[in-house]
Amino acid sequence: MAALGIPQNTISILKKYDIHFQKKYGQNFLIDTHVLEKIIRAAEITGDDFVMEIGPGIGTMTQYLCENAREVLAVEIDRNLLPVLQETLSDYQNVTVLNEDILKMDIGRIAEEYNGGKPIKVVANLPYYITTPIIMELFESHVPLESVTVMVQKEVADRMQAGPGTKEYGALSLAVQYYAEAEIAANVPQNCFMPRPNVGSAVIRLICHKENPVKVLDEKFMFRLIRASFNQRRKTLQNGLCNDMGLSLKKEDVRDALEQMGLPLEVRGERLSLQEFAKLSDLLSGR
Ligand code: SAM
């Protein structure tokens, strides 16, 4: 089967199956062999790896994954693409295609079934309308993960990688960095996709920590604090936390905690590192 990274091949397969791009599924197919090679290199796929691909589309990246990995599981929501995938992946014996919604799947069970419970690699050109829910679901459900290498909106990649004090820094940066080390592997312009998306894209590589970089007594509480701190970005951290009804924190407790940490009372959440949020969480949880 001809490589789909070459635009002419993608065009002819789309015509043959009369495929119309489904905007509601975030369908922007890759048509650039250099970008595909970069993704495979960034994900460091070897012949020992089991790889889960989210949204194979017409199988463009899947072909590369099959060439390089031991086994590939591709999860595609759009039923219309199944006959296409049957043809475009017909050369490979090491691939299974599941017609499912990734957000409704038990991915832990996939790792168990296909990889004996060992950490898996996830590779995807993600549908942008659900990038954050997919990534957070992978991390928060404690699926055994080695790495997640994904194409996302450039702006989202910047947020994942951002550090304290920058305008991109927020709840997503802290959540991602709690679970993984984030590194942008490539910036990808709009003309590498068909149809062209409205925004620039980037490949981000998330290497999952074997151990979380900070210890915190109550992980859930820390993330509630983080969300509350960034919900009202313009407010001081103290006001942001005290105004959050769900947290029901007393002003004097927050003030005492900030003082204990040697932070000024007017500090904003965007100044705090993950380590500082963990410490603040330990001081306030159970109050
Ligand atoms: N991997 C292909 C490529 O690089 O050309 C297609 C990428 S396209 C950006 C995203 C793909 O994810 C589409 O094929 C879309 O149908 C699929 N998709 C969207 N939502 C999904 C979901 N909830 N579960 C599984 N696949 C989904």
Side-chain angles (χ1 to χ4, degrees), residues 12-20 80 83-84 86-88:
S12 67
I13 207 95
L14 291 173
K15 270 203 187 128
K16 177 171 171 188
Y17 287 89
D18 192 24
I19 297 293
H20 299 273
N80 293 328
V84 184
Q86 214 161 41
E87 175 176 339
T88 58

Side-chain angles (χ1 to χ4, degrees), residues 169-190:
Y169 186 60
L172 181 65
S173 329
L174 285 153
V176 164
Q177 292 164 29
Y178 181 67
Y179 294 106
E181 196 183 310
E183 182 190 272
I184 292 182
N187 287 316
V188 182
Q190 280 129 298

Side-chain angles (χ1 to χ4, degrees), residues 22 24-31 36 53-62 75-78 81 100-103 124-130 134 193:
Q22 297 282 331
K24 67 172 176 190
Y25 290 144
Q27 291 181 349
N28 298 95
F29 299 149
L30 266 168
I31 45 160
L36 287 155
E53 184 189 11
I54 300 165
I58 57 171
T60 314
M61 190 150 72
T62 328
V75 181
E76 174 55 60
I77 197 169
D78 185 356
L81 297 175
E100 298 274 358
D101 177 345
I102 190 68
L103 290 176
N125 169 15
L126 285 178
Y128 292 172
Y129 75 110
I130 43 169
I134 291 177
F193 301 88

Side-chain angles (χ1 to χ4, degrees), residues 32-69:
D32 188 297
T33 52
H34 297 297
V35 174
L36 287 155
E37 281 156 17
K38 264 193 200 162
I39 296 172
I40 300 295
R41 237 179 295 132
E44 295 178 348
I45 307 290
T46 73
D48 290 333
D49 289 330
F50 166 78
V51 179
M52 184 173 83
E53 184 189 11
I54 300 165
I58 57 171
T60 314
M61 190 150 72
T62 328
Q63 292 181 332
Y64 280 79
L65 293 170
C66 291
E67 291 284 346
N68 291 278

Side-chain angles (χ1 to χ4, degrees), residues 189-232:
Q190 280 129 298
N191 58 7
C192 297
F193 301 88
M194 188 185 291
R196 280 167 62 107
N198 296 326
V199 290
S201 303
V203 178
I204 189 143
R205 187 166 74 131
L206 309 173
I207 307 279
C208 305
H209 297 307
K210 294 208 167 57
E211 255 179 67
N212 295 123
V214 298
K215 297 270 170 281
V216 60
L217 295 172
D218 185 342
E219 197 178 291
K220 279 213 175 95
F221 182 75
M222 177 178 76
F223 282 113
R224 281 171 58 201
L225 273 189
I226 289 174
R227 271 194 296 274
S229 312
F230 287 98
N231 265 347
Q232 297 175 306

